[in-house]
Amino acid sequence: MTGSFPRPGAVPFTERTPRVVAARKLTRRAEREKTGRFLAEGVNAVEAALEYGTVFELFATERAASAHPKLIAAAASAGVAVSLITDRAADGLSETVTPQGLVAVCALVDRPLPTVLTGARLVVVLVDVAEPGNAGTVIRVADAAGADAVILAGDTVDPHNGKSVRAAAGSTFHVPLARERDIPSVLSSLSAAGLRTLAAHGYADRSLEEITFGDPVAWIFGNEAHGLSPAVLSAADTAVRIPLYGKAESLNLATAAAVCVYTAAMAAHR
């Protein structure tokens, strides 16, 4: 469909307009899997989607379109249909308390596992991570650290979930993502790709201070409440704990991932 600015005086789509109704269904994982599409909400995510992803349609309230004319123009010049929507329709497409009024309908971004591991030197693996905000934040950390891929293994949350996409702040479109339910297959693929696997574990014998970096590595992080299973810990090359110098009992998942991934990235860049 050829992109264009909304016609002057065009009546905005409402929450009952069929295209808005169809888009609203994409807030459900089953519909995303069925259609191969998801929603990217907000300025950062929409900008990244237009630059790196495949965008089928951009919905914008009149207020948002007026506030971000360059973004609307970029969508139109890329051949993306731009559709005005009412504030109420925007509320229905949003999963936030204060919607920004910009929502893009995009193609799913995950890729087959083998394609993201070719030549990779820094990979982040999330195993059975349940909280979408954590998944999105770790994707953002991986992107900032220059990781080559993020793999979502086992029962890890869908990275196309609205909360995950918002937490990633555009990084969903920057760093290659792969999803694979078979955890042993992921671990064997990492080894086959020449990556040393480091499993983050609060009770590991080896401290992060003791680890030498230089070869390609894959950091593996587990579920927020239960961590990594004994099977994953035993399959990894090394289990690693982050040293705690103060009185805090532990670090949350996103913070631990930031420390570990950046330690490896900074060593590589040195």
Side-chain angles (χ1 to χ4, degrees), residues 3-267:
S4 62
F5 288 103
R7 302 186 313 277
V11 177
F13 290 165
T14 73
E15 69 278 8
R16 295 185 180 87
T17 302
R19 289 202 335 236
V20 175
V21 171
R24 188 165 62 245
K25 292 180 181 178
L26 298 176
T27 58
R28 302 196 297 266
R29 182 169 187 163
E31 190 69 16
R32 294 194 294 269
E33 301 289 351
K34 174 184 174 182
T35 62
R37 301 184 178 194
F38 75 110
L39 300 180
E41 179 190 353
V43 176
N44 289 339
V46 170
E47 285 180 342
L50 288 171
E51 186 172 358
Y52 296 98
T54 299
V55 180
F56 299 103
E57 185 167 12
L58 175 61
F59 295 106
T61 63
E62 293 186 24
R63 185 186 308 108
S66 298
H68 304 284
K70 291 184 179 180
L71 191 153
I72 300 299
S77 65
V80 175
V82 180
S83 302
L84 287 179
I85 57 175
T86 64
D87 289 338
R88 187 166 179 177
D91 289 342
L93 296 176
S94 174
E95 297 176 82
T96 63
V97 177
T98 55
Q100 295 185 35
L102 290 167
V103 181
V105 178
C106 310
L108 299 183
V109 298
D110 57 311
R111 311 176 189 181
L113 179 60
T115 68
V116 304
L117 292 179
T118 303
R121 296 191 60 82
L122 178 58
V123 173
V124 179
V125 183
L126 298 178
V127 178
D128 295 337
V129 170
E131 169 54 47
N134 281 336
T137 300
V138 174
I139 290 170
R140 185 177 184 180
V141 166
D143 179 22
D148 298 295
V150 174
I151 300 170
L152 301 106
D155 291 323
T156 294
V157 69
D158 180 9
H160 305 99
N161 173 289
K163 188 174 181 180
S164 177
V165 174
R166 289 192 301 278
S171 294
T172 301
F173 299 95
H174 297 165
V175 60
L177 304 178
R179 290 187 285 175
E180 174 57 63
R181 294 191 64 85
D182 188 338
I183 298 172
S185 175
V186 170
L187 297 176
S188 62
S189 295
L190 294 171
S191 297
L195 292 151
R196 178 167 54 127
T197 51
L198 303 178
H201 178 51
Y203 300 100
D205 293 331
R206 298 286 300 279
S207 169
L208 183 58
E209 298 168 307
E210 304 171 44
I211 304 299
T212 301
F213 293 95
D215 51 342
V217 299
W219 273 108
I220 306 173
F221 304 96
N223 176 269
E224 296 88 342
H226 310 295
L228 292 168
S229 70
V232 173
L233 290 171
S234 63
D237 293 321
T238 310
V240 183
R241 62 178 167 81
I242 298 173
L244 300 175
Y245 303 119
K247 296 181 180 179
E249 182 179 330
S250 64
L251 296 173
N252 66 27
L253 170 63
T255 303
V259 172
C260 294
V261 174
Y262 256 93
T263 298
M266 289 188 292

